[in-house]
Amino acid sequence: MKVFLTGGSGYIGRSTIQALVRHGIEVTALARSEQSARTVADLGGTPVAGALADTDVLREAARRADGVIHLGVDYAAGTADVDGAAAEAMQDGAGSRPYVHTGGVWVYGDTDGVADEDAPLNPPQITAWRLENEKRVLARAATGERPVVVMPGLVYGRSGGLAQSFFVEPGRAAGAVPCIGDGSAHWALVHVEDIAELYVLALNAPAGSRYAGVSGQNLPLADITAALSQAAGCPGRIHSLSLEEALKQMGPIAEAFALDQQLTGARARRELGWTPTRLDALAELSQG
């Protein structure tokens, strides 16, 4: 089997290429720079020169593959339009072959207890653009195509991820890790290696499916930031921020970090046999 991947040199993409290769799958991956191409090649994939805006490249690469995984995001101006056009081009190329699209659980906003994929949608501004694109992607299941959406939780592990960028590194510089609110809000976590395995399994998922990529670790932010303070070299030193202060410091993503989310990945476990194995987030987060 040959899979074409976007975002292969990124944080989740690197682990996903490795997971695909472990499963004996040949990988081609979009690379918009020489550095990205080297990363893809070092991981065992074959780079395809181009960017997400190069729809002809995407369409042809998808046509030559047995399945497609779309992980890449261009956060420049016009993110939604670039993503929508890229998805359309790759689905056109993939035809009736699997197409796995990346969403995110932030689209559910605050959850009422532990929620699943059928919970009401209430996205923060930073991720609201995903809804219409995902709707168009999944609608093509009605035409005999095989779209699937994977929605990762807050991804951690391998000394990377958003927690590292927005909490550990600033905490190391300031001598205290930021915590939004009183720490009672929950994050729905997943290890990068576990979410990579879910992307591989999703290639065989039923058309039109959506999966929350969360491992069942719904932890309070107070516990998470305490662990991150260990990684930042300032154990126990936490700087509480109001949402307004966090927005000034972090930008719009602070609204997503402030969400109180608890989610279950039971559907992926039940339908795909997904079995997350990295289930001690606090221990790993504390090590950075």
Side-chain angles (χ1 to χ4, degrees):
M1 185 177 188
K2 177 188 289 187
V3 166
F4 173 63
L5 185 83
T6 68
S9 63
Y11 175 53
I12 299 176
R14 295 193 299 271
S15 287
T16 303
I17 290 178
Q18 291 177 313
L20 289 163
V21 170
R22 282 197 303 271
H23 285 269
I25 297 171
E26 183 181 345
V27 179
T28 59
L30 190 70
R32 63 180 179 181
S33 69
E34 291 184 4
Q35 181 178 350
S36 294
R38 285 194 298 270
T39 298
V40 168
D42 289 345
L43 293 167
T46 301
V48 175
L52 286 178
D54 298 328
T55 53
D56 289 343
V57 172
L58 298 177
R59 187 179 299 106
E60 180 60 20
R63 188 187 68 79
R64 293 176 177 272
D66 301 308
V68 176
I69 299 175
H70 178 31
L71 281 163
V73 181
D74 186 346
Y75 285 113
T79 297
D81 292 338
V82 171
D83 182 78
E88 182 178 15
M90 287 184 283
Q91 287 189 277
D92 287 345
S96 61
R97 297 182 295 278
Y99 170 78
V100 182
H101 189 86
T102 297
V105 298
W106 281 344
V107 297
Y108 293 107
D110 292 324
T111 63
D112 183 10
V114 180
D116 63 12
E117 292 85 351
D118 298 323
L121 301 171
N122 185 26
Q125 180 181 357
I126 196 170
T127 195
W129 62 269
R130 290 191 180 278
L131 296 184
E132 186 59 32
N133 285 10
E134 290 171 18
K135 181 179 178 181
R136 290 198 299 268
V137 164
L138 292 174
R140 294 177 69 145
T143 68
E145 297 181 20
R146 293 177 59 187
V148 174
V149 172
V150 170
M151 300 175 290
L154 202 292
V155 185
Y156 72 95
R158 291 190 169 185
S159 300
L162 295 175
Q164 185 78 17
S165 300
F166 285 88
F167 292 82
V168 174
E169 293 172 9
R172 185 175 293 123
V177 167
C179 178
I180 304 172
D182 63 4
S184 62
H186 297 78
W187 284 2
L189 299 167
V190 65
H191 194 278
V192 66
E193 293 179 7
D194 286 329
I195 196 66
E197 288 293 330
L198 179 55
Y199 276 103
V200 178
L201 293 169
L203 291 166
N204 292 309
S209 299
R210 293 184 301 148
Y211 297 100
V214 294
S215 58
Q217 299 178 90
N218 299 307
L219 302 180
L221 187 54
D223 293 347
I224 293 170
T225 52
L228 295 176
S229 72
Q230 296 278 344
C234 51
R237 298 191 63 183
I238 309 298
H239 179 212
S240 295
L241 300 174
S242 67
L243 179 56
E244 292 75 17
E245 291 170 329
L247 286 166
K248 291 179 182 178
Q249 180 172 315
M250 301 177 181
I253 198 171
E255 186 183 1
F257 286 138
L259 294 174
D260 184 13
Q261 291 198 318
Q262 299 184 68
L263 290 116
T264 175
R267 179 179 293 178
R269 292 173 182 261
R270 182 176 63 251
E271 295 185 3
L272 303 180
W274 184 46
T275 308
T277 60
R278 307 296 290 269
L279 301 177
D280 195 350
L282 294 180
E284 185 146 353
L285 289 170
S286 68
Q287 297 169 6

PDB file of all heavy atoms in Angstrom, residues 95-130:
ATOM      1  N   GLY A  95     -10.466   9.692  -5.245  1.00  0.00           N
ATOM      2  CA  GLY A  95     -11.647   8.996  -5.747  1.00  0.00           C
ATOM      3  C   GLY A  95     -12.266   8.112  -4.680  1.00  0.00           C
ATOM      4  O   GLY A  95     -12.606   8.579  -3.595  1.00  0.00           O
ATOM      5  N   SER A  96     -12.376   6.825  -4.954  1.00  0.00           N
ATOM      6  CA  SER A  96     -13.005   5.889  -4.018  1.00  0.00           C
ATOM      7  C   SER A  96     -12.014   5.315  -3.012  1.00  0.00           C
ATOM      8  O   SER A  96     -12.379   4.455  -2.204  1.00  0.00           O
ATOM      9  CB  SER A  96     -13.665   4.745  -4.787  1.00  0.00           C
ATOM     10  OG  SER A  96     -12.696   4.019  -5.537  1.00  0.00           O
ATOM     11  N   ARG A  97     -10.773   5.796  -3.025  1.00  0.00           N
ATOM     12  CA  ARG A  97      -9.771   5.311  -2.070  1.00  0.00           C
ATOM     13  C   ARG A  97      -9.819   6.144  -0.790  1.00  0.00           C
ATOM     14  O   ARG A  97     -10.346   7.247  -0.788  1.00  0.00           O
ATOM     15  CB  ARG A  97      -8.384   5.355  -2.722  1.00  0.00           C
ATOM     16  CG  ARG A  97      -8.260   4.430  -3.932  1.00  0.00           C
ATOM     17  CD  ARG A  97      -6.855   4.457  -4.538  1.00  0.00           C
ATOM     18  NE  ARG A  97      -6.519   5.756  -5.103  1.00  0.00           N
ATOM     19  CZ  ARG A  97      -6.877   6.169  -6.305  1.00  0.00           C
ATOM     20  NH1 ARG A  97      -7.607   5.379  -7.092  1.00  0.00           N
ATOM     21  NH2 ARG A  97      -6.518   7.360  -6.749  1.00  0.00           N
ATOM     22  N   PRO A  98      -9.276   5.646   0.315  1.00  0.00           N
ATOM     23  CA  PRO A  98      -9.416   6.323   1.615  1.00  0.00           C
ATOM     24  C   PRO A  98      -8.797   7.720   1.632  1.00  0.00           C
ATOM     25  O   PRO A  98      -7.694   7.925   1.122  1.00  0.00           O
ATOM     26  CB  PRO A  98      -8.672   5.394   2.576  1.00  0.00           C
ATOM     27  CG  PRO A  98      -8.648   4.066   1.913  1.00  0.00           C
ATOM     28  CD  PRO A  98      -8.589   4.332   0.445  1.00  0.00           C
ATOM     29  N   TYR A  99      -9.518   8.636   2.233  1.00  0.00           N
ATOM     30  CA  TYR A  99      -9.028   9.989   2.466  1.00  0.00           C
ATOM     31  C   TYR A  99      -9.287  10.324   3.938  1.00  0.00           C
ATOM     32  O   TYR A  99     -10.449  10.364   4.379  1.00  0.00           O
ATOM     33  CB  TYR A  99      -9.730  11.010   1.575  1.00  0.00           C
ATOM     34  CG  TYR A  99      -9.411  12.444   1.964  1.00  0.00           C
ATOM     35  CD1 TYR A  99      -8.203  13.021   1.601  1.00  0.00           C
ATOM     36  CD2 TYR A  99     -10.298  13.186   2.744  1.00  0.00           C
ATOM     37  CE1 TYR A  99      -7.894  14.323   1.986  1.00  0.00           C
ATOM     38  CE2 TYR A  99     -10.000  14.487   3.126  1.00  0.00           C
ATOM     39  CZ  TYR A  99      -8.792  15.040   2.749  1.00  0.00           C
ATOM     40  OH  TYR A  99      -8.484  16.316   3.144  1.00  0.00           O
ATOM     41  N   VAL A 100      -8.223  10.548   4.709  1.00  0.00           N
ATOM     42  CA  VAL A 100      -8.329  10.849   6.137  1.00  0.00           C
ATOM     43  C   VAL A 100      -7.996  12.313   6.359  1.00  0.00           C
ATOM     44  O   VAL A 100      -6.892  12.764   6.066  1.00  0.00           O
ATOM     45  CB  VAL A 100      -7.396   9.950   6.969  1.00  0.00           C
ATOM     46  CG1 VAL A 100      -7.578  10.258   8.459  1.00  0.00           C
ATOM     47  CG2 VAL A 100      -7.671   8.476   6.685  1.00  0.00           C
ATOM     48  N   HIS A 101      -8.952  13.043   6.892  1.00  0.00           N
ATOM     49  CA  HIS A 101      -8.850  14.496   7.077  1.00  0.00           C
ATOM     50  C   HIS A 101      -8.647  14.796   8.557  1.00  0.00           C
ATOM     51  O   HIS A 101      -9.207  14.118   9.421  1.00  0.00           O
ATOM     52  CB  HIS A 101     -10.145  15.147   6.587  1.00  0.00           C
ATOM     53  CG  HIS A 101     -10.111  16.634   6.518  1.00  0.00           C
ATOM     54  ND1 HIS A 101      -9.631  17.318   5.426  1.00  0.00           N
ATOM     55  CD2 HIS A 101     -10.512  17.582   7.413  1.00  0.00           C
ATOM     56  CE1 HIS A 101      -9.746  18.620   5.628  1.00  0.00           C
ATOM     57  NE2 HIS A 101     -10.265  18.802   6.841  1.00  0.00           N
ATOM     58  N   THR A 102      -7.865  15.822   8.849  1.00  0.00           N
ATOM     59  CA  THR A 102      -7.598  16.192  10.237  1.00  0.00           C
ATOM     60  C   THR A 102      -8.524  17.296  10.714  1.00  0.00           C
ATOM     61  O   THR A 102      -8.641  18.346  10.076  1.00  0.00           O
ATOM     62  CB  THR A 102      -6.139  16.647  10.414  1.00  0.00           C
ATOM     63  OG1 THR A 102      -5.279  15.549  10.114  1.00  0.00           O
ATOM     64  CG2 THR A 102      -5.873  17.102  11.839  1.00  0.00           C
ATOM     65  N   GLY A 103      -9.188  17.030  11.834  1.00  0.00           N
ATOM     66  CA  GLY A 103      -9.966  18.044  12.538  1.00  0.00           C
ATOM     67  C   GLY A 103      -9.335  18.295  13.887  1.00  0.00           C
ATOM     68  O   GLY A 103      -8.122  18.305  14.025  1.00  0.00           O
ATOM     69  N   GLY A 104     -10.159  18.459  14.918  1.00  0.00           N
ATOM     70  CA  GLY A 104      -9.655  18.659  16.271  1.00  0.00           C
ATOM     71  C   GLY A 104     -10.815  18.747  17.242  1.00  0.00           C
ATOM     72  O   GLY A 104     -11.887  19.252  16.898  1.00  0.00           O
ATOM     73  N   VAL A 105     -10.624  18.261  18.452  1.00  0.00           N
ATOM     74  CA  VAL A 105     -11.739  18.218  19.405  1.00  0.00           C
ATOM     75  C   VAL A 105     -12.112  19.594  19.939  1.00  0.00           C
ATOM     76  O   VAL A 105     -13.171  19.750  20.560  1.00  0.00           O
ATOM     77  CB  VAL A 105     -11.439  17.268  20.588  1.00  0.00           C
ATOM     78  CG1 VAL A 105     -11.247  15.850  20.100  1.00  0.00           C
ATOM     79  CG2 VAL A 105     -10.239  17.742  21.402  1.00  0.00           C
ATOM     80  N   TRP A 106     -11.276  20.602  19.704  1.00  0.00           N
ATOM     81  CA  TRP A 106     -11.647  21.934  20.176  1.00  0.00           C
ATOM     82  C   TRP A 106     -12.964  22.413  19.574  1.00  0.00           C
ATOM     83  O   TRP A 106     -13.604  23.310  20.128  1.00  0.00           O
ATOM     84  CB  TRP A 106     -10.530  22.926  19.848  1.00  0.00           C
ATOM     85  CG  TRP A 106      -9.375  22.865  20.801  1.00  0.00           C
ATOM     86  CD1 TRP A 106      -9.354  22.283  22.039  1.00  0.00           C
ATOM     87  CD2 TRP A 106      -8.073  23.437  20.595  1.00  0.00           C
ATOM     88  NE1 TRP A 106      -8.103  22.447  22.610  1.00  0.00           N
ATOM     89  CE2 TRP A 106      -7.306  23.145  21.766  1.00  0.00           C
ATOM     90  CE3 TRP A 106      -7.483  24.149  19.557  1.00  0.00           C
ATOM     91  CZ2 TRP A 106      -5.977  23.558  21.901  1.00  0.00           C
ATOM     92  CZ3 TRP A 106      -6.153  24.560  19.693  1.00  0.00           C
ATOM     93  CH2 TRP A 106      -5.418  24.266  20.850  1.00  0.00           C
ATOM     94  N   VAL A 107     -13.399  21.831  18.462  1.00  0.00           N
ATOM     95  CA  VAL A 107     -14.661  22.280  17.849  1.00  0.00           C
ATOM     96  C   VAL A 107     -15.861  22.035  18.757  1.00  0.00           C
ATOM     97  O   VAL A 107     -16.928  22.611  18.551  1.00  0.00           O
ATOM     98  CB  VAL A 107     -14.911  21.610  16.480  1.00  0.00           C
ATOM     99  CG1 VAL A 107     -13.833  21.996  15.483  1.00  0.00           C
ATOM    100  CG2 VAL A 107     -15.037  20.105  16.607  1.00  0.00           C
ATOM    101  N   TYR A 108     -15.701  21.199  19.791  1.00  0.00           N
ATOM    102  CA  TYR A 108     -16.821  20.926  20.698  1.00  0.00           C
ATOM    103  C   TYR A 108     -16.953  21.966  21.800  1.00  0.00           C
ATOM    104  O   TYR A 108     -17.948  21.967  22.538  1.00  0.00           O
ATOM    105  CB  TYR A 108     -16.663  19.525  21.313  1.00  0.00           C
ATOM    106  CG  TYR A 108     -16.805  18.425  20.305  1.00  0.00           C
ATOM    107  CD1 TYR A 108     -15.703  17.701  19.864  1.00  0.00           C
ATOM    108  CD2 TYR A 108     -18.048  18.114  19.760  1.00  0.00           C
ATOM    109  CE1 TYR A 108     -15.830  16.705  18.916  1.00  0.00           C
ATOM    110  CE2 TYR A 108     -18.186  17.115  18.813  1.00  0.00           C
ATOM    111  CZ  TYR A 108     -17.075  16.414  18.392  1.00  0.00           C
ATOM    112  OH  TYR A 108     -17.202  15.430  17.443  1.00  0.00           O
ATOM    113  N   GLY A 109     -15.983  22.852  21.920  1.00  0.00           N
ATOM    114  CA  GLY A 109     -16.043  23.831  22.993  1.00  0.00           C
ATOM    115  C   GLY A 109     -16.019  23.155  24.351  1.00  0.00           C
ATOM    116  O   GLY A 109     -15.491  22.056  24.508  1.00  0.00           O
ATOM    117  N   ASP A 110     -16.595  23.798  25.366  1.00  0.00           N
ATOM    118  CA  ASP A 110     -16.707  23.168  26.681  1.00  0.00           C
ATOM    119  C   ASP A 110     -17.658  21.981  26.582  1.00  0.00           C
ATOM    120  O   ASP A 110     -18.724  22.078  25.956  1.00  0.00           O
ATOM    121  CB  ASP A 110     -17.258  24.161  27.712  1.00  0.00           C
ATOM    122  CG  ASP A 110     -16.292  25.293  28.012  1.00  0.00           C
ATOM    123  OD1 ASP A 110     -15.072  25.050  28.027  1.00  0.00           O
ATOM    124  OD2 ASP A 110     -16.767  26.422  28.236  1.00  0.00           O
ATOM    125  N   THR A 111     -17.289  20.873  27.188  1.00  0.00           N
ATOM    126  CA  THR A 111     -18.163  19.707  27.171  1.00  0.00           C
ATOM    127  C   THR A 111     -18.894  19.575  28.505  1.00  0.00           C
ATOM    128  O   THR A 111     -18.394  20.022  29.538  1.00  0.00           O
ATOM    129  CB  THR A 111     -17.374  18.412  26.903  1.00  0.00           C
ATOM    130  OG1 THR A 111     -16.450  18.189  27.975  1.00  0.00           O
ATOM    131  CG2 THR A 111     -16.629  18.507  25.579  1.00  0.00           C
ATOM    132  N   ASP A 112     -20.053  18.952  28.453  1.00  0.00           N
ATOM    133  CA  ASP A 112     -20.838  18.701  29.663  1.00  0.00           C
ATOM    134  C   ASP A 112     -20.483  17.306  30.157  1.00  0.00           C
ATOM    135  O   ASP A 112     -21.099  16.318  29.785  1.00  0.00           O
ATOM    136  CB  ASP A 112     -22.326  18.810  29.342  1.00  0.00           C
ATOM    137  CG  ASP A 112     -23.203  18.640  30.572  1.00  0.00           C
ATOM    138  OD1 ASP A 112     -22.645  18.626  31.692  1.00  0.00           O
ATOM    139  OD2 ASP A 112     -24.431  18.519  30.420  1.00  0.00           O
ATOM    140  N   GLY A 113     -19.450  17.209  30.979  1.00  0.00           N
ATOM    141  CA  GLY A 113     -18.950  15.902  31.382  1.00  0.00           C
ATOM    142  C   GLY A 113     -18.148  15.285  30.247  1.00  0.00           C
ATOM    143  O   GLY A 113     -17.567  15.981  29.418  1.00  0.00           O
ATOM    144  N   VAL A 114     -18.141  13.951  30.191  1.00  0.00           N
ATOM    145  CA  VAL A 114     -17.394  13.235  29.158  1.00  0.00           C
ATOM    146  C   VAL A 114     -18.261  13.120  27.914  1.00  0.00           C
ATOM    147  O   VAL A 114     -19.357  12.566  27.962  1.00  0.00           O
ATOM    148  CB  VAL A 114     -16.959  11.846  29.643  1.00  0.00           C
ATOM    149  CG1 VAL A 114     -16.192  11.120  28.542  1.00  0.00           C
ATOM    150  CG2 VAL A 114     -16.090  11.960  30.898  1.00  0.00           C
ATOM    151  N   ALA A 115     -17.763  13.643  26.793  1.00  0.00           N
ATOM    152  CA  ALA A 115     -18.536  13.695  25.553  1.00  0.00           C
ATOM    153  C   ALA A 115     -17.924  12.782  24.500  1.00  0.00           C
ATOM    154  O   ALA A 115     -16.772  12.357  24.604  1.00  0.00           O
ATOM    155  CB  ALA A 115     -18.590  15.123  25.031  1.00  0.00           C
ATOM    156  N   ASP A 116     -18.722  12.496  23.456  1.00  0.00           N
ATOM    157  CA  ASP A 116     -18.216  11.739  22.318  1.00  0.00           C
ATOM    158  C   ASP A 116     -18.385  12.557  21.047  1.00  0.00           C
ATOM    159  O   ASP A 116     -18.680  13.753  21.091  1.00  0.00           O
ATOM    160  CB  ASP A 116     -18.890  10.366  22.209  1.00  0.00           C
ATOM    161  CG  ASP A 116     -20.394  10.454  21.952  1.00  0.00           C
ATOM    162  OD1 ASP A 116     -20.904  11.559  21.624  1.00  0.00           O
ATOM    163  OD2 ASP A 116     -21.075   9.419  22.054  1.00  0.00           O
ATOM    164  N   GLU A 117     -18.230  11.910  19.910  1.00  0.00           N
ATOM    165  CA  GLU A 117     -18.243  12.612  18.620  1.00  0.00           C
ATOM    166  C   GLU A 117     -19.583  13.255  18.283  1.00  0.00           C
ATOM    167  O   GLU A 117     -19.652  14.123  17.408  1.00  0.00           O
ATOM    168  CB  GLU A 117     -17.846  11.654  17.504  1.00  0.00           C
ATOM    169  CG  GLU A 117     -16.413  11.186  17.535  1.00  0.00           C
ATOM    170  CD  GLU A 117     -16.162   9.989  18.433  1.00  0.00           C
ATOM    171  OE1 GLU A 117     -17.085   9.599  19.197  1.00  0.00           O
ATOM    172  OE2 GLU A 117     -15.048   9.434  18.396  1.00  0.00           O
ATOM    173  N   ASP A 118     -20.644  12.850  18.955  1.00  0.00           N
ATOM    174  CA  ASP A 118     -21.971  13.390  18.658  1.00  0.00           C
ATOM    175  C   ASP A 118     -22.353  14.567  19.548  1.00  0.00           C
ATOM    176  O   ASP A 118     -23.493  15.033  19.506  1.00  0.00           O
ATOM    177  CB  ASP A 118     -23.021  12.279  18.793  1.00  0.00           C
ATOM    178  CG  ASP A 118     -22.786  11.154  17.797  1.00  0.00           C
ATOM    179  OD1 ASP A 118     -22.372  11.444  16.656  1.00  0.00           O
ATOM    180  OD2 ASP A 118     -23.012   9.978  18.155  1.00  0.00           O
ATOM    181  N   ALA A 119     -21.419  15.052  20.341  1.00  0.00           N
ATOM    182  CA  ALA A 119     -21.691  16.201  21.215  1.00  0.00           C
ATOM    183  C   ALA A 119     -21.949  17.453  20.386  1.00  0.00           C
ATOM    184  O   ALA A 119     -21.517  17.562  19.229  1.00  0.00           O
ATOM    185  CB  ALA A 119     -20.503  16.424  22.153  1.00  0.00           C
ATOM    186  N   PRO A 120     -22.655  18.431  20.938  1.00  0.00           N
ATOM    187  CA  PRO A 120     -22.889  19.692  20.226  1.00  0.00           C
ATOM    188  C   PRO A 120     -21.581  20.396  19.905  1.00  0.00           C
ATOM    189  O   PRO A 120     -20.602  20.295  20.641  1.00  0.00           O
ATOM    190  CB  PRO A 120     -23.720  20.511  21.224  1.00  0.00           C
ATOM    191  CG  PRO A 120     -24.296  19.516  22.175  1.00  0.00           C
ATOM    192  CD  PRO A 120     -23.299  18.405  22.265  1.00  0.00           C
ATOM    193  N   LEU A 121     -21.583  21.124  18.809  1.00  0.00           N
ATOM    194  CA  LEU A 121     -20.400  21.847  18.362  1.00  0.00           C
ATOM    195  C   LEU A 121     -20.470  23.301  18.827  1.00  0.00           C
ATOM    196  O   LEU A 121     -21.489  23.967  18.661  1.00  0.00           O
ATOM    197  CB  LEU A 121     -20.285  21.796  16.840  1.00  0.00           C
ATOM    198  CG  LEU A 121     -20.185  20.396  16.227  1.00  0.00           C
ATOM    199  CD1 LEU A 121     -20.295  20.469  14.708  1.00  0.00           C
ATOM    200  CD2 LEU A 121     -18.890  19.715  16.646  1.00  0.00           C
ATOM    201  N   ASN A 122     -19.381  23.781  19.406  1.00  0.00           N
ATOM    202  CA  ASN A 122     -19.327  25.161  19.873  1.00  0.00           C
ATOM    203  C   ASN A 122     -17.875  25.617  19.859  1.00  0.00           C
ATOM    204  O   ASN A 122     -17.262  25.844  20.903  1.00  0.00           O
ATOM    205  CB  ASN A 122     -19.919  25.281  21.280  1.00  0.00           C
ATOM    206  CG  ASN A 122     -19.995  26.724  21.747  1.00  0.00           C
ATOM    207  OD1 ASN A 122     -20.077  27.649  20.943  1.00  0.00           O
ATOM    208  ND2 ASN A 122     -19.938  26.920  23.054  1.00  0.00           N
ATOM    209  N   PRO A 123     -17.283  25.761  18.665  1.00  0.00           N
ATOM    210  CA  PRO A 123     -15.839  25.986  18.577  1.00  0.00           C
ATOM    211  C   PRO A 123     -15.421  27.386  18.990  1.00  0.00           C
ATOM    212  O   PRO A 123     -16.156  28.354  18.790  1.00  0.00           O
ATOM    213  CB  PRO A 123     -15.546  25.773  17.090  1.00  0.00           C
ATOM    214  CG  PRO A 123     -16.817  26.156  16.409  1.00  0.00           C
ATOM    215  CD  PRO A 123     -17.915  25.693  17.334  1.00  0.00           C
ATOM    216  N   PRO A 124     -14.212  27.515  19.544  1.00  0.00           N
ATOM    217  CA  PRO A 124     -13.637  28.846  19.731  1.00  0.00           C
ATOM    218  C   PRO A 124     -13.290  29.434  18.370  1.00  0.00           C
ATOM    219  O   PRO A 124     -13.211  28.710  17.366  1.00  0.00           O
ATOM    220  CB  PRO A 124     -12.380  28.577  20.559  1.00  0.00           C
ATOM    221  CG  PRO A 124     -12.005  27.177  20.207  1.00  0.00           C
ATOM    222  CD  PRO A 124     -13.296  26.454  19.973  1.00  0.00           C
ATOM    223  N   GLN A 125     -13.048  30.717  18.340  1.00  0.00           N
ATOM    224  CA  GLN A 125     -12.829  31.405  17.071  1.00  0.00           C
ATOM    225  C   GLN A 125     -11.688  30.785  16.263  1.00  0.00           C
ATOM    226  O   GLN A 125     -11.773  30.648  15.038  1.00  0.00           O
ATOM    227  CB  GLN A 125     -12.527  32.886  17.336  1.00  0.00           C
ATOM    228  CG  GLN A 125     -12.285  33.707  16.074  1.00  0.00           C
ATOM    229  CD  GLN A 125     -11.961  35.162  16.397  1.00  0.00           C
ATOM    230  OE1 GLN A 125     -11.977  35.565  17.555  1.00  0.00           O
ATOM    231  NE2 GLN A 125     -11.674  35.939  15.374  1.00  0.00           N
ATOM    232  N   ILE A 126     -10.612  30.375  16.938  1.00  0.00           N
ATOM    233  CA  ILE A 126      -9.427  29.934  16.229  1.00  0.00           C
ATOM    234  C   ILE A 126      -9.642  28.660  15.417  1.00  0.00           C
ATOM    235  O   ILE A 126      -8.934  28.394  14.456  1.00  0.00           O
ATOM    236  CB  ILE A 126      -8.254  29.733  17.223  1.00  0.00           C
ATOM    237  CG1 ILE A 126      -6.926  29.650  16.459  1.00  0.00           C
ATOM    238  CG2 ILE A 126      -8.476  28.498  18.105  1.00  0.00           C
ATOM    239  CD1 ILE A 126      -5.705  29.699  17.361  1.00  0.00           C
ATOM    240  N   THR A 127     -10.653  27.881  15.766  1.00  0.00           N
ATOM    241  CA  THR A 127     -10.870  26.621  15.060  1.00  0.00           C
ATOM    242  C   THR A 127     -12.240  26.517  14.413  1.00  0.00           C
ATOM    243  O   THR A 127     -12.572  25.494  13.817  1.00  0.00           O
ATOM    244  CB  THR A 127     -10.648  25.436  16.040  1.00  0.00           C
ATOM    245  OG1 THR A 127     -10.522  24.219  15.326  1.00  0.00           O
ATOM    246  CG2 THR A 127     -11.783  25.330  17.040  1.00  0.00           C
ATOM    247  N   ALA A 128     -13.029  27.578  14.448  1.00  0.00           N
ATOM    248  CA  ALA A 128     -14.378  27.549  13.890  1.00  0.00           C
ATOM    249  C   ALA A 128     -14.377  27.280  12.391  1.00  0.00           C
ATOM    250  O   ALA A 128     -15.318  26.703  11.842  1.00  0.00           O
ATOM    251  CB  ALA A 128     -15.099  28.860  14.194  1.00  0.00           C
ATOM    252  N   TRP A 129     -13.292  27.678  11.697  1.00  0.00           N
ATOM    253  CA  TRP A 129     -13.214  27.497  10.249  1.00  0.00           C
ATOM    254  C   TRP A 129     -13.268  26.025   9.838  1.00  0.00           C
ATOM    255  O   TRP A 129     -13.617  25.711   8.690  1.00  0.00           O
ATOM    256  CB  TRP A 129     -11.935  28.128   9.708  1.00  0.00           C
ATOM    257  CG  TRP A 129     -10.663  27.523  10.233  1.00  0.00           C
ATOM    258  CD1 TRP A 129      -9.961  27.916  11.336  1.00  0.00           C
ATOM    259  CD2 TRP A 129      -9.946  26.420   9.682  1.00  0.00           C
ATOM    260  NE1 TRP A 129      -8.851  27.130  11.519  1.00  0.00           N
ATOM    261  CE2 TRP A 129      -8.815  26.201  10.514  1.00  0.00           C
ATOM    262  CE3 TRP A 129     -10.136  25.596   8.570  1.00  0.00           C
ATOM    263  CZ2 TRP A 129      -7.883  25.192  10.264  1.00  0.00           C
ATOM    264  CZ3 TRP A 129      -9.206  24.591   8.320  1.00  0.00           C
ATOM    265  CH2 TRP A 129      -8.099  24.391   9.161  1.00  0.00           C
ATOM    266  N   ARG A 130     -12.924  25.131  10.754  1.00  0.00           N
ATOM    267  CA  ARG A 130     -12.882  23.713  10.405  1.00  0.00           C
ATOM    268  C   ARG A 130     -14.261  23.131  10.079  1.00  0.00           C
ATOM    269  O   ARG A 130     -14.384  22.179   9.301  1.00  0.00           O
ATOM    270  CB  ARG A 130     -12.265  22.905  11.551  1.00  0.00           C
ATOM    271  CG  ARG A 130     -10.781  23.132  11.757  1.00  0.00           C
ATOM    272  CD  ARG A 130     -10.214  22.086  12.720  1.00  0.00           C
ATOM    273  NE  ARG A 130      -8.794  22.247  12.954  1.00  0.00           N
ATOM    274  CZ  ARG A 130      -7.841  21.798  12.150  1.00  0.00           C
ATOM    275  NH1 ARG A 130      -8.180  21.165  11.032  1.00  0.00           N
ATOM    276  NH2 ARG A 130      -6.561  21.973  12.451  1.00  0.00           N
TER     277      ARG A 130
END
